[in-house]
Amino acid sequence: MVMGQVREGARLGTWAVGGVIGLAVLYVIGVFAFGGAGWITAPFRGEAEERGNTVGSGEFRQATYEEFFDLCEAVQNAEGTIQALQEERKAASEVRTTQIDQSITALRAARIESVNAYNAKAAQEHRAPFRDKDLPYRLDAAAERTTCTN
């Protein structure tokens, strides 16, 4: 009699587990059948759509391409101005020397900001493909001179 009860309990347990699995399968089928799959995949589709709207956009590609040149040119402009001020400093009065030193300090800071912006954008996966092949991969903040073509 005890053995029969154990078998009956095992049979009921098997039916219970099978029922739970069956309900789970029906739930998944229902989710996909009634549009739940759209809700589940929305984040992935949204990312793909956003990428298509930006990276796939001709305006984005052109703006990014020009942005790399603009940042590199800003670095070169700061370097040129620093050099001109250093030349002027040789014959400047004491008051003017102080002004020149302040200007050079500000220009060096602006140059470093431009270098960092260039390098940050060059490292971005969605922007890097639109950097001209003649532009350097990275700019060196410690370099005296920047070359914007290889």
Side-chain angles (χ1 to χ4, degrees), residues 66-80 114 118 135 139 146 148:
E66 291 172 3
E67 187 175 29
F68 281 113
F69 278 105
D70 292 344
L71 287 168
C72 197
E73 183 180 24
V75 171
Q76 286 184 318
N77 289 341
E79 291 168 352
S114 295
Y118 181 96
L135 288 173
L139 299 180
T146 299
C148 287

Side-chain angles (χ1 to χ4, degrees), residues 46-129:
E47 288 174 13
E49 184 177 336
E50 180 182 347
R51 184 171 176 84
N53 288 341
T54 57
V55 174
S57 161
E59 292 173 12
F60 176 83
R61 289 192 305 267
Q62 184 65 34
T64 301
Y65 179 83
E66 291 172 3
E67 187 175 29
F68 281 113
F69 278 105
D70 292 344
L71 287 168
C72 197
E73 183 180 24
V75 171
Q76 286 184 318
N77 289 341
E79 291 168 352
T81 306
I82 289 169
Q83 185 178 11
L85 287 171
Q86 287 172 335
E87 289 296 318
E88 180 187 345
R89 189 179 190 282
K90 294 175 184 174
S93 67
E94 188 176 327
V95 172
R96 181 65 183 138
T97 300
T98 302
Q99 293 171 340
I100 290 172
D101 289 344
Q102 290 171 347
S103 294
I104 289 174
T105 299
L107 284 165
R108 285 184 176 148
R111 180 189 174 281
I112 289 170
E113 286 178 18
S114 295
V115 167
N116 289 341
Y118 181 96
N119 291 341
K121 290 179 188 294
Q124 293 174 347
E125 185 178 314
H126 68 285
R127 290 182 189 272

Side-chain angles (χ1 to χ4, degrees), residues 22-32:
L23 285 174
V25 168
L26 286 175
Y27 175 75
V28 169
I29 291 171
V31 164
F32 283 99

Side-chain angles (χ1 to χ4, degrees), residues 1-13:
M1 187 93 169
V2 173
M3 191 61 143
Q5 290 175 341
V6 170
R7 285 186 184 161
E8 185 65 28
R11 194 173 306 131
L12 286 175

Side-chain angles (χ1 to χ4, degrees), residues 37-47:
W39 180 78
I40 292 170
T41 62
F44 306 111
R45 288 183 292 121
E47 288 174 13

